[in-house]
Amino acid sequence: MAAAILPPVPDTDTAHDRPLRVRFAPSPTGSLHVGGARTALFNWLAARHAGGTFILRLEDTDRERSTPESEAEILRVLQWMGLDWDEGPYRQSERDGIYRECIEKLKAAGAVYAAWETPEELDAMRAEARANKQAPVVRGRRDHSPEEIAAFEAEGRTPVWRFAVPLPGETVIDDVIRGTVTFDHAQIEDFVVARSDGSPTYNLAAAVDDMLMDITEVIRGEDHLSNTPKQMLVIRALGGEPPRYAHVPLILGTDRKRLSKRHGAASVEELEADGFLPQPVRNALVLLGWAYDDKTTTFTMGELIEKFDVSRVSKSPAVFDMKKLEVMSGRYLRSMDEAEFADALVAWLADTGYFDGKAADAPDLARRTAPLVQRKMSRLGEYDRLAGWLYRPLDIEPEALAVLEEDVKTSIQCIGGGLGRIEVLEEFTVDAIKDALSDQLHIQGVTARTFLEPQRIAVTGQTVSTGIYESLALLGRDESVARYRATLGRLAEQWTGGE
RNA sequence: GCCCCCAUCGUCUAGCGGUCCAGGACGCCGCCCUUUCACGGCGGUAGCGCGGGUUCGAAUCCCGCUGGGGGUACCA
């Protein structure tokens, strides 16, 4: 083909000449999914990259499922991700008059027709088509006599309005990501444009909005690919020019099924609750289906704006890997400077209610522990696992106790040895504790792990925690000694009892 | 069933006919560092789904198969 061997063909598409206008159009029927979040990100980046406009539109024509709570949550999450919009949020529920006007125009133009089929009749039609290995496309009867129509009306029936898909014919999408995609009209049913109560359906409202809002490029999930010809048909019937389309591949769970709740944290809200910060979340999402080159794996927002290009987005669906997000998140956390990290940690703990019911100085304690956990966690949600023991009385978790019980005698010797050294320490500092414990370790002639692990468990009750020296220093001598003794007592009991 | 899309290491991907006996990242394995869990450093493991073409030459182009995904509503 000529385009393949010649230099880039000059663009004749008018959409190319206008400043970029993109939109993110979620339906407020739940929290924002990672797939939706990525779509929003892609749109936002495309807009910022081109100096265009990012529009937010809530597609709430389904009154049953749309909720104000969901809408508020979506706006909140978008802001959390750092995605600000230039126009909107528009709500389709507030634009009802516009859609009805357009429906009237379509009626006047003869592009739609009243269809009287009952749900049962439609089911039967589709079932029959399927049985005959035909496409289950619905075409309503348009040849009702005035008498029949009068009879329907007498029954109290009201018709839906279906789009009269031109036959024969085809609609071709020149997709920015997928290239040319052709749909034979024979495969497209006469889709409903106005419900029997006169309200617009998604395909009508979305098409009308994209046209009227002067959207130049629609970037959305691949699940909308088959809706695209319908929307193009509507726009053209209304005398408009369809925008360019870019259908991004879906995000899958590890079982290669479309990502959903059962795959774990599938919404940004959950990611936030798990203690992921916006930067790594953005970075992980943008890399699902897009790469700048063969090496770069982390980007600042500025770099993304500069480098992002929708046409480079992959065609194939990507599996969302939580582990990778965790790694990115951990690296990001470690890259923060100490104060910045401490601020983020304390703020997150406060937001998630971690300090509720705890001592008044808990936030302060958290701040002091920040440097101890910064290098150890991959997300803020791991804080409690690492440092939670500091806020509670000693409570040895079963797993940790099992470690001590493996060799009770040695455990007692190590803990006892450690206790002997720290209780006589004059300066209870990290360095002093480290020196004393290291010395004792030498004297007892066991490996570091054998000696230090029991110390950790004795005071924290956990096998994983903040560093042992730092933990002791933070606890203070009195509390440390008390915990050593408590653990020792518990083991001694077992030792004698077991004999 | 019908329509559409997709196909490089386990996962995310680079690759756009020769520079690729395929590069990076995560995972995994090993070693080192830290006399602690962790972090970090170094090394290794692993892939072009299959079969036909086209071409001097194919991961890259074409066809078929297989596999995966999406759609198939008076939901969006």
Side-chain angles (χ1 to χ4, degrees):
Chain A
M1 196 193 285
I5 49 174
L6 293 171
V9 189
D11 267 313
T12 50
D13 186 343
T14 54
H16 280 273
D17 304 328
R18 285 179 277 142
L20 189 76
R21 285 175 63 82
V22 295
R23 90 288 115 126
F24 176 55
S27 54
T29 55
S31 55
L32 190 62
H33 246 247
V34 305
R38 187 191 59 168
T39 301
L41 216 209
F42 281 0
N43 274 285
W44 186 89
L45 288 173
R48 293 294 170 265
H49 176 83
T53 307
F54 178 57
I55 296 155
L56 181 59
R57 182 171 85 214
L58 281 324
E59 309 218 317
D60 56 352
T61 49
D62 184 345
R63 304 259 202 77
E64 300 283 297
R65 299 194 304 149
S66 301
T67 67
E69 293 73 28
S70 166
E71 178 186 314
E73 170 62 12
I74 288 170
L75 301 194
R76 208 205 98 239
V77 168
L78 251 20
Q79 283 167 313
W80 180 80
M81 286 184 62
L83 309 182
D84 54 334
W85 50 93
D86 307 307
E87 280 182 32
Y90 295 112
R91 288 177 196 81
Q92 293 189 325
S93 57
E94 293 169 357
R95 298 165 58 80
D96 198 57
I98 295 171
Y99 308 130
R100 287 179 194 252
E101 255 177 57
C102 289
I103 290 167
E104 289 312 314
K105 279 189 196 168
L106 292 173
K107 289 180 189 172
V112 298
Y113 63 90
W116 299 87
E117 285 76 9
T118 62
E120 294 72 34
E121 286 168 337
L122 294 175
D123 284 348
M125 284 168 73
R126 287 194 259 253
E128 194 197 326
R130 189 180 277 252
N132 295 332
K133 300 197 172 194
Q134 299 292 308
V137 296
V138 167
R139 319 237 93 111
R141 268 190 63 194
R142 307 190 209 173
D143 56 354
H144 294 293
S145 64
E147 291 72 30
E148 282 176 308
I149 292 174
F152 288 147
E153 283 171 346
E155 274 175 50
R157 261 154 90 165
T158 48
V160 296
W161 289 82
R162 289 182 181 275
F163 192 95
V165 176
L167 286 170
E170 59 180 31
T171 292
V172 179
I173 307 169
D174 188 14
D175 195 280
V176 175
I177 295 172
R178 276 148 217 286
T180 304
V181 183
T182 305
F183 284 87
D184 184 344
H185 285 5
Q187 300 297 146
I188 303 174
E189 78 174 6
D190 286 347
F191 53 99
V192 174
V193 135
R195 302 189 182 102
S196 52
D197 65 359
S199 66
T201 59
Y202 162 75
N203 278 128
L204 184 281
V208 166
D209 281 344
D210 287 339
M211 178 178 78
L212 263 27
M213 290 178 186
D214 202 25
I215 301 301
T216 60
E217 187 160 321
V218 170
I219 303 171
R220 65 192 351 176
E222 190 189 347
D223 49 337
H224 286 294
L225 193 51
S226 58
N227 285 322
T228 305
K230 298 177 186 173
Q231 297 173 194
M232 290 171 78
L233 248 16
V234 169
I235 291 175
R236 287 186 176 135
L238 252 14
E241 181 65 27
R244 277 188 329 252
Y245 293 92
H247 287 96
V248 308
L250 263 19
I251 297 178
L252 276 26
T254 42
D255 58 357
R256 304 213 117 260
K257 296 287 180 204
R258 193 175 176 161
L259 195 65
S260 67
K261 304 103 244 164
R262 62 195 172 75
H263 292 105
S267 70
V268 179
E269 182 183 22
E270 289 169 280
L271 258 23
E272 194 185 350
D274 285 344
F276 291 103
L277 261 20
Q279 293 87 339
V281 168
R282 261 190 247 131
N283 206 85
L285 289 184
V286 81
L287 251 18
L288 281 179
W290 177 83
Y292 174 64
D293 57 19
D294 61 337
K295 294 206 166 56
T296 321
T297 54
T298 47
F299 302 85
T300 61
M301 203 56 148
E303 289 165 339
L304 285 178
I305 290 171
E306 183 198 327
K307 300 178 157 130
F308 185 73
D309 175 5
V310 219
S311 70
R312 265 185 70 82
V313 171
S314 150
K315 294 182 178 71
S316 47
V319 173
F320 181 61
D321 184 1
M322 184 60 80
K323 186 73 193 166
K324 199 171 291 188
L325 205 213
E326 285 182 0
V327 171
M328 279 183 197
S329 171
R331 293 216 172 125
Y332 179 76
L333 259 21
R334 274 170 252 126
S335 78
M336 297 169 86
D337 66 56
E338 218 171 89
E340 187 189 6
F341 173 79
D343 289 345
L345 174 66
V346 175
W348 183 84
L349 290 172
D351 285 350
T352 53
Y354 190 73
F355 300 134
D356 297 356
K358 288 196 170 67
D361 68 341
D364 190 55
L365 177 56
R367 183 165 288 279
R368 281 186 288 139
T369 59
L372 311 191
V373 297
Q374 185 172 10
R375 248 140 230 100
K376 292 193 164 224
M377 51 191 212
S378 58
R379 53 189 173 85
L380 269 16
E382 283 169 340
Y383 181 77
D384 189 68
R385 190 175 67 84
L386 253 23
W389 61 273
L390 264 165
Y391 301 81
R392 299 185 281 266
L394 180 63
D395 176 24
I396 304 178
E397 59 185 28
E399 220 180 274
L401 192 59
V403 172
L404 293 183
E405 286 172 340
E406 239 168 63
D407 185 346
V408 180
K409 188 178 170 187
T410 303
S411 294
I412 291 176
Q413 283 172 345
C414 290
I415 296 171
L419 173 60
R421 299 302 295 256
I422 66 156
E423 65 183 346
V424 299
L425 241 34
E426 289 187 11
E427 294 252 308
F428 209 69
T429 60
V430 174
D431 286 343
I433 293 166
K434 182 176 180 183
D435 288 346
L437 252 25
S438 297
D439 193 43
Q440 183 62 23
L441 159 64
H442 253 99
I443 293 172
Q444 299 200 192
V446 291
T447 66
R449 190 194 160 109
T450 304
F451 182 73
L452 262 7
E453 203 52 23
Q455 316 288 323
R456 176 198 307 287
I457 296 170
V459 296
T460 70
Q462 307 177 348
T463 54
V464 178
S465 72
T466 41
I468 183 66
Y469 311 127
E470 292 83 354
S471 297
L472 285 167
L474 210 53
L475 256 193
R477 178 173 22 226
D478 293 349
E479 179 63 17
S480 295
V481 168
R483 290 187 176 214
Y484 263 89
R485 292 206 169 116
T487 306
L488 225 35
R490 186 160 174 183
L491 287 175
E493 214 171 280
Q494 282 204 14
W495 178 241
T496 52
E499 283 304 288

